[in-house]
Amino acid sequence: MDKKRHYYPPKLADRFLEFYCVPERLEQIQGDAYEIFYLDLEEKGLTYARLRFIFHVFSFFKWSNIGFSKFMHQRNNTGVMIRSYFKIGWRNILKQKGTTFISVFGLSCAVGCCIVAYLFIANIWFKGLNQPNKDELYQLVYTAEEADGLVTYGTVAQPISELIPNNLNQVKDHTRIMMEFPLLIQNNESFYQRTLYVDPSYMDMFKYRMEYGYPGALREADQVILTHQLSEKLFGDKHPIGQELSLVVDGEEKLFKVGGVLEDLKDMDMFNFDLLVNFESHPGAANDASLKDAWSKELWTFIQVEEGADISRIESDLGEITKIQNQVDPENPYVKMGLIAYPDIIYNVGKIEKGVRDFLGIGPQILLGTIGLFILLLAVFNYINLSVLMASKRLKEIGVRKVIGSKRSQLIFQFLSENLLVCFFAIFLGCMMAGFIFLPGFNDIASKNLQIDLFRDKNIWIFLGALLLAVTLITGLYPASYLSSFKPISILKGNQKIGSKSVFTSVLLSFQFTLAIISMVAAIAFVQTNYINANRDWGYSSADKIIVNVPDSKDYVPLRNKLSALSSVVEVSGSQDYVGNWITEKEVEFGDEKYSINFLNAESNYPELLDLELKQGRMFNSDLITDTQESLLVNQTFLDQFGLVFPLDQTVKIDSANYHVIGVVEDFHTEFFKNAIEPMAISASPDSVFNYLTLKMNPGSAEGSMDAVKKIWHETVPMGLFEGKLQTEVFEREIADANGVSKLISFSATLSVILALLGLFGLVSLNMTAHIKDYCVRKVFGADIGDLSKKLLKRYLIIWGIAALIGGIFSIYFISSFLDSFFAFNSGVGIIPIGFALVILLIVIIGTVSSQIWKVIKANPAVILKSE
Amino acid sequence: MKGYHLGELEELVLLIVGILNQEAYGVSVAEEIKSQTGRKVNISAIHTVLNRLEEKGFLKSHMGGATEERGGRRKRLFSLSASGRAAINEVKLVRNRLYDQLPPLALDFSNG
C-alpha cells in the first residue's frame, strides 16, 4: 500500500479519459481504472500497471462512453468565467492604485518609445509598400563588367524605355524616372527642389491620393504635380491649381502650371520628391540630341507587368534589348539586364549602384531600437517585481480558490487577464503619449514626418497586437506561474512567504540599475562631447567672414568686383570648395605610392584670409609665379599620415602635375567633428573662376552686412539661389543634428532613471508596508535611525554595487564605440560620465529608501502594533 | 423464452452480480468471473454488459463505497432486480428442460 502514495496512473491517459468521458459514467469508469491500476501495481509492478491503465483508457473509448463532457461543459461557462476573471482583475487594479499607476505609467512610456522606434524603422523598411500595384512593378537594372568585378546599376540608358513596347511582352506600362534638382522660381523667390521627371504613365503605375486636380494632369507637358508640402510652402492657403511657377534646367527657364497636388505622402513613398514634371519638358528629352548622347544618359526605368505575367520570360526577352544596347553603345557593354521587384528594392540597397534607395541608416535604427528595448525592459521588470510583491496581499485569495477547486491553469488565467487589462491600458496610453508627446518631439529633432496612421497602416495594428501579446505574456507568465504554484495548505496556515528578498527580484533590480547606468553614461558622455566640441578650436578664425556661392561662371568676375567695392569688405578670395564643407578628393603620388587626399584649389590669399596657422615654411606669395603654379600648402596630418618631414626632398604629383610643398599649416576642421581630419593640400591658382567667394569683413560687421551682400548678389546674378552664410555657421546643421541626438539620448536616460526610481520606490514601499511591524518592534527596543536604515539600505547598496560594476564595464566598451561611430573627436567614456551616472543612481536609491525610513520615524509604534 | 434475450456473457455477469449480492461493481465482477470460471474478461466489456443489463431492467444500481484505491471515487454498485431474478430463473428452466431431453449417452445401445 505504500506504493500508492508515490505512484499515479499516467497523467496524459487520465486526462484523455476525463476529456472524452460522459460525466455520469466518468466516476465509475475512472474509479475502476484506478482500482485495477493499484491492483496491478502490487502484483506486477509499475510499468505493467501503467501500460494496462493506458490500454483500459483506450478500451473505454466507445461510442456510449464518449461525451466530451469537459469540452461541452466549458463552452457553456466560458463567457461567464472570462467575465468574472476580468471583473476580479478590474477590482484588484482599483484596489492597488499606486502600484498600478507605476506599472501603467512605466509601460506606457515604454510603449510610446517603442512605437516611435517602430515607426522610424518601419518607415525605412516599409517605405513605398502601400502602392496597390506593388507586386506588378519591376525596375530595370543592368550588370556591367568593371575593374573590380561585376557591378549592377539601377539605371539604364534613356532610350531603352522606347524599346520596351516592341521587345517585351506582357508589359502593361513603363515609365522613365529622372531625379534632378532644378531651381524653382515662383513669385521672385527661388528654391532648389527635388524634382522627378517622369512619363505620364507614372501616374497610372503608381497611385497617389490627390488633394487637388487629377492624376492625368501630367499628360500636358506644361503641367506639374506638387506634393502637399511644396504646395503649402509656395502658395499657402491659395488654391494651387493653375498657379504658375518656373523651373531652370541647364540655364533654361521654363514656365509651368500646377495641374495637381498630392495628399500628404507622410514620408512613406518610395521616391523622395517635391514635384513631378512631364519627362518631355526636360531639355535633355528633346529629340535633337544626338543618338550617342541619348544613350549615354542613364535613368531609372520601371515597368508594370500584366497580372500573372511570366517574369522569367520577360527577363529572357531583355536579352534582345541588351543586344541592341551593345550595338548602339559598344563602349559601355551590358553583361546582362534584369528586373528587380518593387518590394525587393529595399533588400538590394548596397548591392545596386545608383538605385532608388541607396541608404539604409542602420546606425540610427539600432540606436532607436535599443532605446525602445531598454525602456521596455525597465518597465517590464518593474511590473514583474511589483506584481509578485502585490500578490502577497492576495495569498489568501489564491489559497481559498485552490481549496474550492480552481485548477492551476485557471489561476494563471486569472493573473494573465489582470495583466492583459494593465497592458491594454498601457498600450492605449502609450499610443496617446507617442502621438501627442514623443512623435512631435522626435519629428522635430530628426526632421522626419512620422505619424501613427491607425486607419491606413495595418502594420501598426500588427505591431501593437504583437506588443500587447508579448508584454502580457512576458510580464504575466512568471508571476502567474510562481504564485499559482503555492500549496493551499501552507498559504492558509500562513507559512507561505513571498520573497521580496528573492534572488529573482534582486536580479531584475540589478539589471534595471545596469540599464539605467548605461543609458546615463551614454547621455552624459554625449552631452560632454557636445560641450567639448562646441568649444573646440576649429584651427582657423571663423569670425567676420561671409561665404557666397557663385552659380554661374560668367557671374564670377562681376560679382567679385561688386562685392570688393562694398565698404565693409576688407578682402575677397575665391575658392573651389570652402572650408567647412565637403572638399574635392584627389589622388596624390609620391614616387610610386598613391594616396587619396582633400585638395582645395583657391586664390593665393585664401589661407591667410582664413587665418590658418602657419607651422613651417611660408604661405603663398601671389607675386611669385611659381607659387600660383606649382606650390602646395599642406596640413600637419598630410605629413603625419604619409611619414614625411618638412621640407620635403621630393615633389608630389597631382593630376600629373608636379608640386613643391612650400609650407605646413596646423590641422584645421574642414568637416564636422564627426569626421577625422584628412590629409589636405591647398593649391593657389591665378585669376581663374571659382565656385565660392569668401569675404573678409570689418570686425563685427559680418552679420550686419549680410543683407547688403545678398542685394548685390541678386543684382548681379539674374537666376539663382543665394546660399550665402557666415563662416561661423558652416557646421550649423551638423551641430543641430548632434544636439538632436543628444536630446534624444538624454531623454531616454531620464526616462530610464525615472522608471528605475519608480520601480525601486514601489518595491521599497511595499516591503515597508509588509514589514512595518517588524521595524516598529525594533524601534520600541531602541533601534535608532542608523540601524534601521542600514537594514533597509544594505541590500540595495549591494545591488547598486553589482550594477555599477557590470554597467561600468559595458559602458566603457559599448558607449565608447557608440561615441566613436558618431564623432571622430569625442571625450571618450572617462571618469566623468561613469562617476556622474553612479552618483546620480546612488542619490536616487538613498533618496527613495530614506523616504521610507522617514515613514518609520514618523510612525507611532503604539498605534501600529496595537491595530490588528 | 418471451423477452428474455440473454447473451452468454450477459448471463454470466447477471449470475455473478447475483452471487456478489450488494458488492457487485466493475472490478469485483471481473475478479469474480476470473476466480469462478478462470476467464479473463476486459473491464470495459464488463462495463458495457453491466450498462446494457441495467438498460434492459435486469439490474439496478446506486453509487456508493468510495475507497482510497479509487482516488476517492464512488463505485456503481449493481444488484439484481426482480425481472433479473426472473430472467435467471427462466434461463435456468429452459436450460434444465432442454438438458432433460438429452438422450442418455454411453448406456444406450439400442440404436447401436
Side-chain angles (χ1 to χ4, degrees):
Chain A
M1 273 293 163
D2 272 342
K3 285 183 178 173
K4 271 178 216 159
R5 302 207 179 92
H6 302 296
Y7 301 116
Y8 294 95
K11 263 202 179 127
L12 222 62
D14 199 22
R15 288 244 179 102
F16 179 61
L17 180 67
E18 279 173 11
F19 167 70
Y20 72 71
C21 198
V22 280
E24 51 269 26
R25 294 221 176 132
L26 178 65
E27 192 174 359
Q28 166 196 6
I29 289 176
Q30 212 178 8
D32 282 0
Y34 268 61
E35 209 175 322
I36 294 174
F37 171 78
Y38 287 116
L39 285 175
D40 287 338
L41 184 64
E42 251 169 52
E43 283 169 20
K44 305 231 170 118
L46 184 65
T47 321
Y48 178 80
R50 285 204 165 148
L51 282 177
R52 271 210 69 203
F53 186 86
I54 294 169
F55 170 73
H56 282 146
V57 166
F58 282 104
S59 67
F60 277 120
F61 191 69
K62 287 177 182 167
W63 189 247
S64 58
N65 290 336
I66 298 172
F68 294 109
S69 60
K70 223 175 150 186
F71 184 64
M72 313 278 249
H73 184 66
Q74 254 187 4
R75 185 194 271 171
N76 296 337
N77 277 334
T78 350
V80 182
M81 224 163 59
I82 289 179
R83 215 183 311 148
S84 72
Y85 282 151
F86 281 105
K87 196 189 274 174
I88 294 172
W90 177 242
R91 284 176 187 161
N92 264 318
I93 288 171
L94 288 186
K95 223 191 280 172
Q96 313 162 349
K97 286 196 189 76
T99 37
T100 309
F101 168 75
I102 292 179
S103 315
V104 171
F105 174 76
L107 280 176
S108 51
C109 283
V111 168
C113 293
C114 285
I115 289 176
V116 174
Y118 162 79
L119 284 176
F120 181 77
I121 294 170
N123 179 256
I124 288 168
W125 291 94
F126 297 152
K127 215 174 160 82
L129 294 191
N130 46 10
Q131 286 292 347
N133 295 336
K134 63 173 187 277
D135 295 323
E136 295 165 13
L137 295 173
Y138 290 85
Q139 184 184 7
L140 292 185
V141 299
Y142 76 89
T143 314
E145 185 97 43
E146 304 248 316
D148 41 354
L150 291 176
V151 182
T152 305
Y153 287 94
T155 51
V156 294
Q158 184 178 323
I160 281 183
S161 87
E162 286 159 28
L163 302 175
I164 289 175
N166 291 331
N167 289 286
L168 297 186
N169 296 316
Q170 297 179 299
V171 172
K172 220 196 266 177
D173 248 334
H174 64 274
T175 180
R176 296 168 288 183
I177 302 171
M178 182 166 66
M179 161 102 73
E180 280 210 0
F181 282 85
L183 187 73
L184 187 154
I185 303 173
Q186 196 267 329
N187 203 11
N188 291 329
E189 293 251 23
S190 38
F191 318 90
Y192 283 111
Q193 297 295 350
R194 259 169 219 275
T195 306
L196 286 189
Y197 286 91
V198 297
D199 288 318
S201 55
Y202 177 87
M203 292 306 284
D204 300 325
M205 294 164 64
F206 298 90
K207 303 283 179 203
Y208 297 100
R209 276 190 298 279
M210 304 296 291
E211 194 172 3
Y212 302 107
Y214 63 106
L218 275 193
R219 284 190 204 110
E220 309 288 329
D222 65 337
Q223 291 198 353
V224 295
I225 293 181
L226 309 184
T227 56
H228 173 80
Q229 276 89 349
L230 182 63
S231 151
E232 219 157 60
K233 177 170 139 190
L234 293 181
F235 307 114
D237 296 335
K238 272 188 284 177
H239 190 70
I241 299 292
Q243 299 278 357
E244 290 185 339
L245 52 85
S246 55
L247 294 172
V248 185
V249 182
D250 300 343
E252 230 180 278
E253 185 171 356
K254 213 166 187 180
L255 206 64
F256 289 94
K257 269 197 299 200
V258 176
V261 175
L262 306 179
E263 260 184 39
D264 194 354
L265 296 172
K266 297 190 172 138
D267 219 4
M268 277 313 273
D269 196 65
M270 178 67 82
F271 307 98
N272 290 324
F273 62 89
D274 299 315
L275 67 158
L276 296 169
V277 185
N278 189 323
F279 194 87
E280 298 304 327
S281 58
H282 189 273
N287 288 330
D288 54 339
S290 77
L291 194 66
K292 199 82 188 164
D293 279 355
W295 276 92
S296 66
K297 249 194 197 147
E298 295 192 339
L299 39 69
W300 298 325
T301 305
F302 278 78
I303 57 170
Q304 181 181 5
V305 301
E306 280 162 14
E307 221 170 304
D310 182 5
I311 299 307
S312 53
R313 222 189 108 197
I314 297 180
E315 277 192 321
S316 62
D317 286 348
L318 281 172
E320 277 305 307
I321 297 183
T322 312
K323 250 185 237 162
I324 299 173
Q325 132 76 23
N326 290 349
Q327 275 167 11
V328 181
D329 192 10
E331 286 157 32
N332 298 311
Y334 290 7
V335 175
K336 198 177 123 248
M337 287 182 70
L339 296 172
I340 289 191
Y342 179 79
D344 293 341
I345 287 177
I346 184 68
Y347 303 110
N348 287 302
V349 172
K351 290 178 209 156
I352 289 183
E353 299 278 313
K354 298 187 194 168
V356 178
R357 308 272 306 270
D358 50 2
F359 172 69
L360 271 184
I362 296 291
Q365 289 182 48
I366 294 177
L367 175 67
L368 276 175
T370 319
I371 290 177
L373 201 69
F374 264 37
I375 306 273
L376 190 65
L377 276 182
L378 276 170
V380 163
F381 289 170
N382 265 354
Y383 188 31
I384 294 177
N385 268 343
L386 290 181
S387 57
V388 170
L389 215 55
M390 278 319 292
S392 59
K393 290 185 179 168
R394 298 175 60 189
L395 277 182
K396 288 251 159 64
E397 180 196 332
I398 299 168
V400 169
R401 287 175 81 134
K402 278 200 145 182
V403 167
I404 287 176
S406 64
K407 291 198 180 113
R408 196 169 168 195
S409 56
Q410 286 172 315
L411 277 175
I412 289 180
F413 198 84
Q414 169 71 55
F415 285 116
L416 279 185
S417 61
E418 279 164 38
N419 263 19
L420 191 69
L421 273 181
V422 168
C423 293
F424 184 77
F425 279 128
I427 285 193
F428 180 71
L429 277 180
C431 282
M432 308 277 269
M433 276 189 170
F436 293 109
I437 304 172
F438 295 169
L439 268 182
F442 179 77
N443 284 341
D444 202 32
I445 288 173
S447 55
K448 280 258 173 190
N449 190 19
L450 301 179
Q451 273 164 14
I452 305 181
D453 192 354
L454 290 178
F455 297 107
R456 298 220 180 86
D457 185 3
K458 62 177 183 293
N459 290 320
I460 186 100
W461 285 104
I462 297 173
F463 173 73
L464 288 179
L467 197 65
L468 178 67
L469 202 69
V471 172
T472 306
L473 288 182
I474 294 170
T475 55
L477 272 186
Y478 171 73
S481 55
Y482 172 60
L483 295 171
S484 61
S485 70
F486 296 152
K487 292 252 176 328
I489 199 146
S490 56
I491 292 178
L492 296 179
K493 248 188 186 165
N495 287 345
Q496 188 69 53
K497 281 273 179 331
I498 282 234
S500 60
K501 295 200 165 149
S502 78
V503 181
F504 187 73
T505 313
S506 303
V507 169
L508 289 192
L509 203 58
S510 21
F511 202 84
Q512 281 185 308
F513 285 176
T514 312
L515 289 186
I517 288 174
I518 294 176
S519 52
M520 268 194 288
V521 171
I524 295 169
F526 213 94
V527 170
Q528 191 193 7
T529 302
N530 262 356
Y531 178 77
I532 291 177
N533 282 346
N535 298 321
R536 193 182 286 278
D537 185 13
W538 290 7
Y540 61 93
S541 161
S542 59
D544 306 320
K545 292 181 185 81
I546 294 178
I547 304 164
V548 167
N549 61 322
V550 186
D552 207 331
S553 50
K554 67 178 192 296
D555 300 324
Y556 179 75
V557 179
L559 194 61
R560 192 178 195 282
N561 291 339
K562 277 194 194 167
L563 286 174
S564 311
L566 207 66
S567 63
S568 54
V569 174
V570 179
E571 207 177 349
V572 180
S573 175
S575 59
Q576 209 60 36
D577 304 299
Y578 62 91
V579 170
N581 196 11
W582 180 81
I583 289 186
T584 317
E585 284 185 7
K586 280 258 163 88
E587 213 158 61
V588 52
E589 291 174 45
F590 323 108
D592 300 334
E593 288 173 273
K594 285 184 182 174
Y595 301 101
S596 163
I597 59 158
N598 288 342
F599 184 75
L600 179 64
N601 197 5
E603 271 183 83
S604 56
N605 61 347
Y606 189 72
E608 270 167 295
L609 184 136
L610 267 190
D611 297 321
L612 297 180
E613 286 166 41
L614 190 67
K615 206 172 169 193
Q616 282 164 307
R618 60 181 177 84
M619 294 284 194
F620 296 121
N621 183 350
S622 52
D623 296 333
L624 291 175
I625 296 176
T626 50
D627 271 15
T628 56
Q629 280 170 355
E630 49 188 38
S631 300
L632 280 185
L633 272 177
V634 298
N635 65 357
Q636 185 60 40
T637 312
F638 186 96
L639 296 184
D640 294 346
Q641 201 147 335
F642 307 133
L644 303 171
V645 184
F646 186 82
L648 273 69
D649 47 4
Q650 55 184 349
T651 56
V652 297
K653 206 170 174 188
I654 298 173
D655 283 348
S656 64
N658 282 315
Y659 290 89
H660 291 282
V661 176
I662 59 158
V664 180
V665 293
E666 287 283 1
D667 283 338
F668 56 98
H669 289 273
T670 51
E671 284 177 79
F672 193 56
F673 312 117
K674 227 172 192 157
N675 306 48
I677 291 179
E678 299 282 327
M680 177 161 177
I682 306 171
S683 82
S685 303
D687 309 317
S688 57
V689 169
F690 294 106
N691 293 337
Y692 294 96
L693 282 171
T694 305
L695 318 175
K696 186 171 183 177
M697 314 298 285
N698 281 327
S701 68
E703 217 160 321
S705 330
M706 204 64 186
D707 286 335
V709 171
K710 188 173 178 183
K711 203 170 147 240
I712 293 176
W713 194 93
H714 275 296
E715 281 168 9
T716 324
V717 181
M719 273 184 314
L721 183 61
F722 179 68
E723 284 176 331
K725 58 179 127 187
L726 299 173
Q727 183 80 45
T728 43
E729 289 171 351
V730 288
F731 292 147
E732 216 165 42
R733 239 186 58 210
E734 286 89 347
I735 291 175
D737 264 6
N739 282 341
V741 176
S742 131
K743 263 187 216 160
L744 195 73
I745 299 177
S746 307
F747 169 76
S748 64
T750 317
L751 200 57
S752 66
V753 174
I754 289 177
L755 287 185
L757 167 73
L758 280 178
L760 181 69
F761 178 79
L763 273 184
V764 179
S765 66
L766 284 177
N767 241 337
M768 183 52 87
T769 331
H771 296 290
I772 187 107
K773 279 190 184 159
D774 181 1
Y775 289 103
C776 282
V777 169
R778 280 162 195 271
K779 211 173 146 188
V780 169
F781 279 105
D784 59 9
I785 302 171
D787 293 334
L788 290 177
S789 33
K790 208 169 110 193
K791 184 173 162 19
L792 253 177
L793 256 179
K794 196 174 139 205
R795 175 167 172 250
Y796 298 109
L797 287 185
I798 292 173
I799 292 178
W800 174 80
I802 296 171
L805 197 67
I806 304 172
I809 294 171
F810 260 86
S811 328
I812 287 171
Y813 279 102
F814 288 100
I815 304 301
S816 44
S817 62
F818 163 73
L819 273 180
D820 287 341
S821 70
F822 261 97
F823 296 107
F825 295 86
N826 63 56
S827 61
V829 180
I831 192 75
I832 294 178
I834 294 186
F836 262 105
L838 295 187
V839 168
I840 290 174
L841 191 63
L842 190 64
I843 290 172
V844 165
I845 293 173
I846 293 179
T848 316
V849 174
S850 31
S851 76
Q852 295 304 309
I853 294 174
W854 181 246
K855 214 155 112 189
V856 181
I857 294 170
K858 293 288 274 183
N860 182 356
V863 175
I864 289 169
L865 293 177
K866 229 165 79 186
S867 74
E868 177 67 334
Chain B
M1 281 294 286
K2 38 174 175 73
Y4 298 129
H5 281 292
L6 279 180
E8 191 267 341
L9 186 63
E10 283 178 334
E11 187 190 331
L12 193 62
V13 169
L14 204 58
L15 281 168
I16 298 287
V17 169
I19 294 167
L20 283 174
N21 191 22
Q22 303 297 325
E23 280 300 324
Y25 64 99
V27 178
S28 67
V29 171
E31 297 270 299
E32 192 67 20
I33 289 176
K34 198 178 155 195
S35 63
Q36 294 261 6
T37 67
R39 267 175 73 173
K40 268 193 177 176
V41 186
N42 188 356
I43 183 77
S44 66
I46 290 178
H47 272 265
T48 317
V49 172
L50 284 172
N51 290 331
R52 196 181 303 147
L53 288 176
E54 191 181 11
E55 270 165 38
K56 287 182 180 172
F58 298 147
L59 295 179
K60 52 191 182 189
S61 71
H62 67 277
M63 304 297 288
T67 64
E68 203 189 332
E69 292 88 358
R70 302 174 63 85
R73 292 177 190 83
R74 290 170 299 168
K75 301 162 183 168
R76 180 173 293 271
L77 294 170
F78 291 90
S79 53
L80 280 181
S81 64
S83 63
R85 168 75 61 180
I88 292 177
N89 288 340
E90 172 77 31
V91 169
K92 192 182 169 226
L93 279 177
V94 172
R95 283 269 165 86
N96 285 346
R97 198 164 63 227
L98 292 174
Y99 185 82
D100 291 343
Q101 291 170 37
L102 272 183
L105 261 177
L107 303 173
D108 188 4
F109 298 104
S110 58
N111 293 332

